[in-house]
């Protein structure tokens, strides 16, 4: 190895040793005149990852944008390089709010936003409840913690299949509980995977799978709260609710930003739950953005339209990712 | 919070509700998987009238489950190994070295992690088609094709998790090693890798879990011989019948590898995810 300890030490890497925060005292530290030698090591290390990033992300993303501007159907799919360029036609055809497809698109975006808010909101509340009560010490705490994480560790389609079975028949477990035990709908046994109900069913399934993630992150955030803060508050006569509002909530605020952002993105892009619950085409009351793009592309073979919708999604996610990175990066950028 | 009596009562109530909420679907899966088919149709029975292991035996013959299992295993293991190997190198560079373009590289990795598979599905499909036209190499329906597409989500995740791990290892450890003359790479291999082993295993398990549960790419890029478990389980439902008991038994069987892996590395995974590597 040609890279000695000297030329790759923090002092050599940073051009200004004087402000180098590294406390390690090596012999070359006090020689600011020594020019840092250009090292190819970092590039060698990131090279495989960079090549893969270009192959699996950057390239496909650029191609995806191109698809939105060509007329691509199942007829010219195998010969897509020669597909005719149609400019903004796909956007005009598909996203015109006057047309049926356009209306479907905009209502799907709206529905997906509502879906995201409900799923993330409820997951957060459940996760917070679990985290607050599992941050105190009691017997069985470790087992319960692992148990709560199971829905998250389970393959997504297994959890969804389980719920599909519970929702599925008129006489499935959900109706057993709601109708037979709690007599909620009188004598009626609602169908859950059809029509309007399917939207709610899908939300329940998604919350079941997502809340453990909120639980996990919030529990980690709460571990940093020293117990004596609560003790002091209790001595001052603060109620549990007051302790929660004035101590717990502010303590998790930094974690919340990233947590809510990540959960929202996952939920907004959700594909697995509707696909396993309803098959390749969801009921129209429960269609989300990712499944809609899938249906347009691989269901009705209108790839250009799917592409146009993908480009809009890409733009939206790009904007979201700028916010996300602003929130996340300051933590990771300490040596930038 | 302080453990007053009220707190304890509230805690018991909330934790009971949450436990039931988690447990009921799990109980439904396991109990259904142990029932004979005649008891699965009709009103759901919370207490099985009859317990039988036959669904667990029948699942292997009703559909080629072993084949699907093998497909999932090959694809998932390869995608995980490739991602983790490539990610270890890149993550080390991000965590420890200064170089031009580092910020751009990190940002790319970080942002691509947020993009859904649906954005890559069609383009990758077209690229695979083009490759087949040009070279005759069949990527659709091949293991290689799926391994590559699964790396779209395992790789960025692995890079971010691992760079978080590496950054949390004290620099002094490597410096000591480099003073002993091992060089950067020597330090990485002899010092960082052993110390970060729990983290690397946790990342690998997490990548494995996400790939094992993947549905979208598998639904388009597999064929009859490379079908993975996520699609293969559908075969328990025919036009007329759904073998719910077998479907549930198969669900238990396919969940076991990831659940065991998850429980084994749970502590490291939790530490890694929560040390800010959600990024």
């Amino acid at each position: 190895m040609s890279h000695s300890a000297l030329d790759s030490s923090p002092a050599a890497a940073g051009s200004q040793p004087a402000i180098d925060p590294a406390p390690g005292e090596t012999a070359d530290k006090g020689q600011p005149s020594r020019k840092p030698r250009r090292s190819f090591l970092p590039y060698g290390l990131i090279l495989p990852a960079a090549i893969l990033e270009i192959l699996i992300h950057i390239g496909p993303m650029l191609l995806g944008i191109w698809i939105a501007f060509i007329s691509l159907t199942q007829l010219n799919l195998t010969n897509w390089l020669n597909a005719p360029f149609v400019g903004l036609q796909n956007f005009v055809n598909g996203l015109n709010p006057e047309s049926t497809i356009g209306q479907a698109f905009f209502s799907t975006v709206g529905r997906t936003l509502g879906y995201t808010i409900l799923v993330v909101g409820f997951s957060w509340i459940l996760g917070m409840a679990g985290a607050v009560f599992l941050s105190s010490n009691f017997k069985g705490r470790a087992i319960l913690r692992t148990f709560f994480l199971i829905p998250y560790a389970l393959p997504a389609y297994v959890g969804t299949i389980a719920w599909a079975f519970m929702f599925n028949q008129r006489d499935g477990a959900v109706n057993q509980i709601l109708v037979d035990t709690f007599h909620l709908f009188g004598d009626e046994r609602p169908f859950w995977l059809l029509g309007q109900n399917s939207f709610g069913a899908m939300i329940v399934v998604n919350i079941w799978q997502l809340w453990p993630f909120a639980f996990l992150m919030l529990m980690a955030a709460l571990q940093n709260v020293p117990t004596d803060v609560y003790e002091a508050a209790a001595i001052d006569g603060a109620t549990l609710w007051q302790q929660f509002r004035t101590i717990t909530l502010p303590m998790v605020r930094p974690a919340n930003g990233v947590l809510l952002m990540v959960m929202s993105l996952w939920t907004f892009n959700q594909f697995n739950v509707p696909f396993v619950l309803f098959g390749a085409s969801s009921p129209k009351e429960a269609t989300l953005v990712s499944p809609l793009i899938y249906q347009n592309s691989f269901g009705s073979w209108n790839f250009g339209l799917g592409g146009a919708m993908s480009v809009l999604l890409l733009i939206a996610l790009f904007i979201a990712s700028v916010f996300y990175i602003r929130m996340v990066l300051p933590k990771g950028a300490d040596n930038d | 919070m302080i453990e007053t009596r009220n707190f304890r009562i509230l805690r018991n109530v909330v934790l009971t509700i949450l436990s039931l909420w988690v447990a009921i679907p799990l109980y439904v899966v396991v109990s259904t998987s142990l029932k004979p088919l005649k008891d699965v149709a009709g009103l759901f029975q919370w207490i099985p009238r009859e317990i039988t292991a036959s669904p667990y035996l029948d699942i292997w013959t009703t559909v080629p489950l072993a084949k699907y299992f093998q497909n999932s295993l090959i694809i998932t293991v390869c995608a995980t190994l490739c991602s983790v190997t490539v990610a270890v190198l890149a993550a080390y560079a991000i965590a420890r070295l200064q170089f031009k373009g580092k910020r751009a590289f990190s940002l790319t990795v970080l942002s691509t992690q947020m993009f859904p598979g649906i954005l890559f599905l069609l383009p990758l499909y077209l690229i695979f088609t083009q490759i087949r036209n040009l070279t005759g190499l069949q990527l659709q329906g091949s293991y290689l094709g799926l391994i590559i597409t699964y790396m779209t989500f395992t790789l960025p995740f692995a890079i971010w998790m691992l760079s978080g791990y590496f950054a949390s290892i004290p620099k002094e450890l490597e410096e000591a090693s480099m003073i002993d003359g091992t060089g950067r790479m020597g330090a990485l291999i002899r010092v960082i890798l052993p110390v970060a082993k729990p983290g690397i295993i946790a990342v690998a398990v997490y990548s494995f879990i996400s790939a094992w549960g993947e549905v979208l790419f598998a639904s388009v890029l597999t064929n009859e011989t490379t079908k993975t478990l996520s699609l293969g389980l559908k075969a328990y439902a025919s036009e007329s019948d759904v073998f719910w008991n077998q479907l549930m038994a198969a669900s238990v069987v396919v969940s076991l590898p990831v659940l065991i892996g998850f429980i084994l590395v749970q502590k490291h995974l939790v530490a890694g995810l929560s040390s800010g590597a959600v990024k």
Side-chain angles (χ1 to χ4, degrees):
Chain A
M1 241 328 49
S2 62
H3 303 279
S4 72
L6 297 183
D7 65 39
S8 49
S9 73
S15 48
Q16 300 217 289
I19 55 160
D20 194 308
E25 284 302 324
T26 43
D28 62 320
K29 258 283 180 71
Q31 301 169 11
S33 58
R34 210 175 69 86
K35 285 260 164 65
R37 246 181 41 205
R38 197 122 172 90
S39 166
F40 290 102
L41 180 67
Y43 299 104
L45 290 175
I46 65 162
L47 188 68
I51 291 174
L52 275 166
E53 278 289 325
I54 289 168
L55 285 180
I56 61 181
H57 284 132
I58 316 269
M61 228 159 0
L62 295 176
L63 180 55
I65 295 171
W66 171 247
I67 293 169
F69 295 95
I70 60 176
S71 170
L72 188 65
T73 61
Q74 76 265 46
L75 298 175
N76 54 11
L77 187 61
T78 49
N79 190 22
W80 58 273
L81 276 182
N82 297 322
F85 183 84
V86 294
L88 290 172
Q89 198 64 50
N90 287 320
F91 291 90
V92 173
N93 285 352
L95 310 175
N96 175 4
E98 309 283 296
S99 74
T100 345
I101 300 176
Q103 278 165 5
F105 175 74
F106 289 110
S107 60
T108 299
V109 170
R111 184 183 309 115
T112 309
L113 282 174
Y115 178 79
T116 306
I117 291 168
L118 287 170
V119 168
V120 172
F122 279 108
S123 299
W124 189 89
I125 292 170
L126 293 184
M128 192 71 202
V132 164
F133 291 108
L134 275 191
S135 57
S136 61
N137 248 319
F138 61 94
K139 221 174 153 216
R141 174 178 174 236
I143 293 171
L144 218 48
R145 194 179 78 152
T146 308
F147 182 66
F148 283 175
L149 292 174
I150 286 181
Y152 183 62
L154 224 51
Y157 55 88
V158 168
T160 312
I161 287 172
W163 279 100
F165 178 59
M166 291 168 61
F167 278 124
N168 191 316
Q169 300 148 306
R170 276 175 6 106
D171 25 355
V174 169
N175 277 340
Q176 270 267 294
I177 298 175
L178 296 183
V179 179
D180 298 344
T181 311
F182 293 105
H183 306 285
L184 276 182
F185 303 93
D187 285 335
E188 233 174 281
R189 306 180 82 83
F191 281 95
W192 291 103
L193 299 179
L194 298 172
Q196 202 59 54
N197 285 343
S198 54
F199 184 66
M202 188 169 67
I203 288 179
V204 170
V205 179
N206 207 347
I207 294 171
W208 190 79
Q209 292 179 355
L210 187 63
W211 85 273
F213 183 74
F215 162 69
L216 182 65
M217 294 297 135
L218 292 171
M219 205 171 44
L222 287 184
Q223 263 161 13
N224 303 324
V225 188
T227 352
D228 45 4
V229 181
Y230 288 114
E231 272 160 25
I235 289 168
D236 290 344
T239 63
L240 286 177
W241 178 246
Q242 284 168 334
Q243 290 179 36
F244 176 75
R245 266 192 40 219
T246 56
I247 304 173
T248 310
L249 270 187
M251 282 311 283
V252 297
R253 189 161 299 148
N256 265 344
V258 176
L259 173 65
L260 293 176
M261 186 82 198
V262 171
M263 291 204 300
S264 302
L265 283 166
W266 286 344
T267 311
F268 191 84
N269 296 328
Q270 183 59 256
F271 179 82
N272 289 354
V273 171
F275 188 77
V276 179
L277 212 51
F278 308 122
S281 77
S282 318
K284 68 176 191 313
E285 295 90 345
T287 307
L288 302 180
V289 168
S290 279
L292 181 72
I293 295 174
Y294 184 89
Q295 273 160 238
N296 278 316
S297 303
F298 293 94
S300 40
W301 304 103
N302 197 341
F303 296 104
L305 182 60
M309 291 179 178
S310 301
V311 166
L312 292 185
L313 180 61
L314 186 68
I315 294 169
L317 288 174
F318 187 79
I319 295 169
S321 75
V322 172
F323 281 104
Y324 169 58
I325 286 165
R326 288 238 165 131
M327 270 190 241
V328 170
L329 212 61
K331 267 198 278 174
D334 49 309
N335 51 2
D336 238 12
Chain B
M1 291 211 186
I2 301 310
E3 296 208 24
T4 56
R5 201 169 144 260
N6 281 347
F7 178 81
R8 245 167 276 157
I9 293 169
L10 197 59
R11 178 175 75 192
N12 292 344
V13 172
V14 171
L15 292 183
T16 308
I17 293 171
L18 286 177
S19 303
L20 283 175
W21 157 245
V22 173
I24 287 175
L26 300 177
Y27 173 78
V28 168
V29 170
V30 175
S31 69
T32 307
S33 76
L34 293 166
K35 290 176 183 172
L37 190 59
K38 64 175 166 51
D39 284 358
V40 176
L43 212 59
F44 180 75
Q45 302 288 326
W46 288 97
I47 296 155
R49 272 184 295 222
E50 186 189 332
I51 288 184
T52 167
S54 66
Y56 284 91
L57 303 172
D58 297 339
I59 48 174
W60 307 97
T61 47
T62 313
V63 308
L65 186 67
K67 179 66 185 164
Y68 300 151
F69 220 99
Q70 184 194 337
N71 292 339
S72 276
L73 204 60
I74 292 172
I75 293 163
T76 309
V77 167
C78 290
T80 301
L81 287 181
C82 293
S83 296
V84 172
T85 311
V86 171
V88 162
L89 302 176
Y92 182 76
I94 291 179
R96 281 294 195 269
L97 306 174
Q98 297 301 325
F99 56 94
K100 235 184 152 150
K102 172 171 159 175
R103 200 176 156 78
F105 179 71
S106 321
L107 288 181
T108 307
V109 174
L110 185 56
S111 53
T112 53
Q113 179 172 289
M114 311 179 18
F115 295 142
I118 193 78
L119 287 181
F120 305 111
L121 178 64
L122 181 58
L124 282 167
Y125 181 80
L126 293 182
I127 292 171
F128 289 176
T129 310
Q130 199 59 35
I131 290 174
R132 188 192 56 202
N133 290 351
L134 290 175
T135 66
L137 180 66
Q138 180 74 35
L139 284 170
Q140 272 127 301
S142 75
Y143 289 145
L144 183 61
L146 265 197
I147 292 166
I148 292 169
T149 54
Y150 281 15
M151 290 184 77
T152 58
F153 55 92
T154 53
L155 181 68
F157 173 80
I159 293 177
W160 267 103
M161 279 280 277
L162 286 175
S163 61
Y165 260 101
F166 292 164
S168 69
I169 297 171
K171 285 196 173 99
E172 287 73 16
L173 279 177
E174 295 153 86
E175 280 163 10
S177 155
M178 286 187 288
I179 287 167
D180 293 344
T182 58
R184 269 279 171 201
M185 288 306 285
L188 169 63
I189 292 164
R190 278 187 234 170
V191 180
I192 296 292
L193 288 189
V195 174
K197 201 164 120 196
I200 294 172
I201 292 173
V203 171
V205 168
Y206 192 87
S207 298
F208 186 92
I209 289 176
S210 7
W212 193 254
E214 208 283 331
V215 173
L216 174 64
F217 292 121
S219 76
V220 170
L221 296 173
T222 59
N223 59 25
E224 219 28 69
T225 55
T226 54
K227 211 181 249 185
T228 57
L229 289 167
S230 55
L231 297 174
L233 291 197
K234 279 195 174 152
Y236 290 105
S238 68
E239 283 295 320
S240 51
D241 274 314
V242 182
F243 295 103
W244 281 112
N245 55 346
Q246 293 190 36
L247 181 53
M248 295 303 169
S251 297
V252 171
V253 170
V254 307
S255 303
L256 280 180
V258 292
L259 272 189
I260 293 169
F262 178 82
I263 288 168
L264 287 179
V265 303
Q266 195 239 121
K267 241 164 84 192
H268 302 298
L269 198 59
V270 172
L273 275 170
S274 48
S275 74
V278 208
K279 311 166 197 179

